[in-house]
Amino acid sequence: MQLEKIMADLEKKNPGEVEYLQAVHEVLESLEDTVSENPQFEEAGIIERLIDPDRVLTFKVSWVDDNNKVHVNRGFRVQFNNAIGPYKGGLRFHPSVNLSILKFLGFEQIFKNSLTTLPLGGGKGGSDFNPKGKSDNEIMRFCQAYMLELWKLIGPDTDIPAGDIGVGGREIGFLYGMYKKLAREHVGTLTGKGVNWGGSLIRPEATGFGVTYFAQEMLKTKGETFEGKVVGLSGFGNVAWGAAQKVTELGGKVVTISGPDGYIYDPDGLDDEKIDFLLELRASNQDIVKPYSYEFTNAKFVEGKHPWEVKMDIAIPCATQNELNKEDAETLVKNGVSCVSEGANMPCTPEAIDVFMENKILYGPGKAANAGGVAVSGLEMTQNSMKLGWSREEVDARLQQIMSDIHTACVENGTEEDGFVNYPKGANVAGFLKVANAMLDQGVV
Ligand code: NDP
Ligand code: 2IT
């Protein structure tokens, strides 16, 4: 494969889209051996066809705030690849959202969804709308205006959106209400729905539980567990919340959480009472990180920094892309980190990943480690199709099995000669092979 030429062509077509180019480069670099061993992929133009989205849709979203002021945001949906199933992936509402970010997320989603073992293609969408500080009514009006355009593009067997940053249960409710009205159907076109109207138990916790189960599988290969381990999380959104619960349940001590303005270091670790306190703050749309240090006085708030300077055994970044750089990775390694499991999508920069690889750290890339969220979305779709609901235990057991199967796929495809498991390579190769073979079977379309 002519990696540098492919990248140069892609850059020419997508100038300045740094996150998208970063994600494609990371995947293609690890596929070089696989592609040279399988000339049929190049003959069928699989790489060129895979790195370009099937369809990119942008639309205007106009809405009126509580003071009758009119706002115009931009809405997007990137339908990347549907070789193994309908387009599937979350919606992100954040002021930083642009096409580069959504294309990187949609591209990653192809491989992640393939790894889940479920029939799901890859997509992503969202808007540059900022939900921070908005009233429930403003959120509702925005979601309704967004869905007024999006509904034409999606469907239970076409494209199934879900949550991501800034889109949780409340937003999915408002989006679904409008979808159902326009489509005149009550079907599983969105996931992350409320449990009383088609949602799955465990979906809110699934990404955080899954990233912890994946770390547990990695630790197992060294004969270790979470018991007594010091764990650092970043963010405190949907993913970090689920991870905090599961890590604590498994005997680990979560000593950090963070927000855009800094991090909390709590040497005593989170517990159920502290997690409930954080959840209440989150539900009230407040700044959650600083008030924690006023309530629990042993904890300190460190302004303007990431938590990676704290000594920890296991790091679980759960906030956003490129939040852990080379210097952070070096500090973590110096402080004895043994395992990094990515809850967020692409939170570690390529240079940080190199540091983990050189030091033979157990490093689980997001497309494998955080696949539990979309996996339970897939299980929600299954339950919707059957018009049945499974128990918590049933969904959790399936989630654990899926995370364990993803780990096995990474080991099978990523083990190097010296026995070290290169998890990113394993995840990329396993995710790619299923999609590439499906594309071969289906001809040039
Ligand atoms: P949420 O919106 O629930 O939470 C995001 C968290 O990260 C919040 O604590 C937020 O702080 C913080 N954050 C957001 N942007 C930044 C930033 N630029 N710098 C520092 N902190 C930031 O989102 P999720 O928990 O759903 O998503 C977190 C990550 O996990 C994302 O990368 C997402 O793509 C990924 N992911 C999510 C899945 C899901 O099912 N939801 C599944 C798989 C991956 P604050 O609220 O104070 O702004
Ligand atoms: O990045 C992700 O995997 C998600 N935001 C969840 C996607 C989904 O469709 O559940």
Side-chain angles (χ1 to χ4, degrees), residues 123-135:
K124 201 85 188 187
S127 173
D128 58 2
F129 170 73
N130 186 0
K132 273 258 172 81
K134 302 288 189 298
S135 69

Side-chain angles (χ1 to χ4, degrees), residues 369-381:
N370 73 34
V374 73
V376 174
S377 279
L379 300 179
E380 181 173 328
M381 289 160 65

Side-chain angles (χ1 to χ4, degrees), residues 60-135:
K60 182 175 68 184
V61 187
S62 312
W63 59 283
V64 181
D65 71 17
D66 290 346
N67 299 315
N68 288 329
K69 188 170 178 307
V70 176
H71 296 265
V72 178
N73 286 101
R74 183 156 286 182
F76 304 90
R77 185 73 182 163
V78 178
Q79 297 182 330
F80 224 111
N81 184 291
N82 64 353
I84 63 167
Y87 304 109
K88 176 84 193 94
L91 299 174
R92 178 176 291 192
F93 291 170
H94 193 271
S96 64
V97 162
N98 58 33
L99 262 187
S100 171
I101 288 179
L102 296 181
K103 278 153 76 180
F104 116 65
L105 289 163
F107 183 70
E108 290 281 285
Q109 201 81 44
I110 303 170
F111 306 94
K112 183 194 306 192
N113 292 3
S114 166
L115 286 167
T116 64
T117 68
L118 303 171
L120 304 169
K124 201 85 188 187
S127 173
D128 58 2
F129 170 73
N130 186 0
K132 273 258 172 81
K134 302 288 189 298
S135 69

